[in-house]
Amino acid sequence: MKPEWSVADAVVRWQRKHGRSALPWQDTRDPYRVWLSEIMLQQTQVATVLGYYARFLDRFPDVHALAAASEDAVLALWSGLGYYSRARNLHKAARTVAAQRGGVFPSTAAGLAQLPGVGRSTAAAIAAFCYGERVPILDANVRRVLARFFAFEQDLARAASERALWERASELVPKSARDMPAYTQGLMDLGASLCTPRRPSCLLCPLESACAARRSGEVERFPIRSRTVLRKQETWWLSVLRDGAGRTWLHRRPAPGIWAGLYCTPVFGDEAALLAHATRLGASSFEALAPVRHALTHRELVLRPVRALLPEVAPFSETQGAWFRAKELPAVGLPAPLRSLLLSGV
């Protein structure tokens, strides 16, 4: 008798034949390494994560090493990866696991979801990959795959609709725990490679024959989400204060907010405010530098740096700040555009 077709079997077979298998976090069931990769992969492309993942493991090979590090060291290594709250929560979670659990990660999705920065889908992915727990994931890629498979008509901007899709996803998981890693990875791979937001490759998809959206002829209509992100533009004037010794003044950005906890030059809403502040501090000359555009999820920043030269011995001090020499900057947690600006030797 021909075995009954199932979504799980189709995805597992496809993943083992066509899915990604050479990513560095796929050759391990170490929850530390899988957790690190899953946090980095949140809202970030695999190609971008690869280098950061290797550097993190080189610097912090286990959860105890990460827990023992300073937040500045973690943020400095994270610089350029974006969404810096992930790095702060990563550090908090490492300290929780090291201090409260002796370095042993929870072995269930429910337990993992209690760690800072670990949401339901991330927790489920770690549990599936490391422990074979039969729990569904629903990251952005998988949400798109399943919304199309079911032709899910509900608005996923609503919490109740999201819960309903979670329930449908729960019905599809493999019966065997040993298939959970391939199934979980397979759904991720489908969303990343075939079931893309635009022009999906339906003919190559292992779910094509049973996909309701495919039958409807409206694949790109799904998933349905009413809210859209409106990106506002802001102009930030950056006061690049340099003293006679070539040092740069930086202070921590406040929390909450953009680049919270990272070091940054003083920021002003307009040029006049910047010049007035620098003049009060004794700046003797000013030079406008080339503006830089930097896109965030909800904002597009137009950064307008102005270099201001101060006397040999800077006559001021402020809380939450310090002078940094150029050789010290690589070890400081800086936003990516500011790191590029300062390390360029301006």
Side-chain angles (χ1 to χ4, degrees):
M1 180 180 295
K2 186 177 180 180
E4 182 181 355
W5 185 91
S6 75
V7 168
D9 289 343
V11 171
V12 168
R13 284 194 300 270
W14 178 85
Q15 199 284 325
R16 288 173 175 162
K17 186 174 182 180
H18 302 289
R20 294 175 290 191
S21 60
L23 298 174
W25 46 83
Q26 291 181 303
D27 62 355
T28 180
R29 292 293 175 259
D30 178 356
Y32 172 71
R33 293 182 172 226
V34 174
W35 163 70
L36 176 61
S37 70
E38 288 297 324
I39 298 300
M40 286 186 167
L41 287 165
Q42 291 172 357
Q43 299 175 290
T44 306
Q45 297 292 323
V46 168
T48 302
V49 166
L50 289 171
Y52 283 90
Y53 181 77
R55 289 190 290 272
F56 250 77
L57 286 181
D58 184 60
R59 180 78 176 275
F60 311 121
D62 56 42
V63 71
H64 292 289
L66 180 56
S70 68
E71 184 176 284
D72 279 344
V74 176
L75 289 172
L77 208 55
W78 194 275
S79 181
L81 200 52
Y83 301 99
Y84 292 93
S85 62
R86 293 182 298 170
R88 290 189 291 272
N89 283 328
L90 189 85
H91 194 218
K92 291 176 185 175
R95 291 188 163 181
T96 297
V97 171
Q100 299 179 16
R101 301 182 55 85
V104 178
F105 279 79
S107 59
T108 66
L112 289 161
Q114 300 305 308
L115 297 176
V118 180
R120 181 177 178 181
S121 190
T122 298
I126 300 167
F129 285 133
C130 298
Y131 310 115
E133 185 175 359
R134 296 179 60 250
V135 284
I137 65 168
L138 207 62
D139 65 10
N141 280 336
V142 176
R143 185 183 297 113
R144 183 169 59 255
V145 172
L146 296 186
R148 287 173 173 174
F149 180 77
F150 292 118
F152 193 73
E153 292 284 355
Q154 298 183 48
D155 182 359
L156 288 171
R158 299 176 59 246
S161 302
E162 184 92 356
R163 288 194 297 270
L165 189 58
W166 272 106
E167 292 176 4
R168 301 293 297 275
S170 299
E171 300 167 359
L172 302 180
V173 296
K175 295 179 180 178
S176 172
R178 69 185 179 189
D179 286 335
M180 282 305 301
Y183 174 72
T184 303
Q185 185 65 56
L187 286 178
M188 292 176 172
D189 291 350
L190 283 175
S193 63
L194 299 184
C195 197
T196 50
R198 298 288 178 265
R199 302 180 67 181
S201 302
C202 295
L203 292 177
L204 300 177
C205 179
L207 305 181
E208 187 260 350
S209 63
C211 178
R214 172 69 170 165
R215 290 197 301 268
S216 75
E218 297 182 293
V219 174
E220 292 188 23
R221 189 166 73 86
F222 300 96
I224 296 171
R225 194 174 187 86
S226 62
R227 287 201 297 267
T228 58
V229 175
L230 298 177
R231 183 178 290 164
K232 297 187 295 184
Q233 181 173 292
E234 289 185 17
T235 298
W236 285 15
W237 289 82
L238 306 182
S239 181
V240 184
L241 297 167
R242 290 275 172 78
D243 69 3
R247 299 178 302 174
T248 304
W249 176 263
L250 301 172
H251 62 186
R252 288 190 188 275
R253 292 284 303 162
I258 295 172
W259 298 336
L262 297 179
Y263 278 96
C264 187
T265 62
V267 175
F268 297 89
D270 56 55
E271 183 179 20
L274 181 154
L275 295 176
H277 179 261
T279 300
R280 285 196 301 271
L281 297 177
S284 57
S285 66
F286 303 93
E287 180 184 359
L289 304 175
V292 177
R293 290 186 176 272
H294 183 65
L296 301 171
T297 302
H298 299 286
R299 282 174 176 73
E300 180 175 330
L301 298 181
V302 179
L303 307 176
R304 302 189 67 89
V306 175
R307 182 166 53 195
L309 298 181
L310 298 170
E312 182 72 30
V313 178
F316 76 102
S317 63
E318 297 180 21
T319 60
Q320 298 297 311
W323 290 102
F324 291 89
R325 299 185 183 278
K327 66 181 181 181
E328 297 172 316
L329 294 176
V332 177
L334 295 167
L338 187 59
R339 177 178 295 276
S340 298
L341 175 71
L342 296 181
L343 293 183
S344 69
V346 298

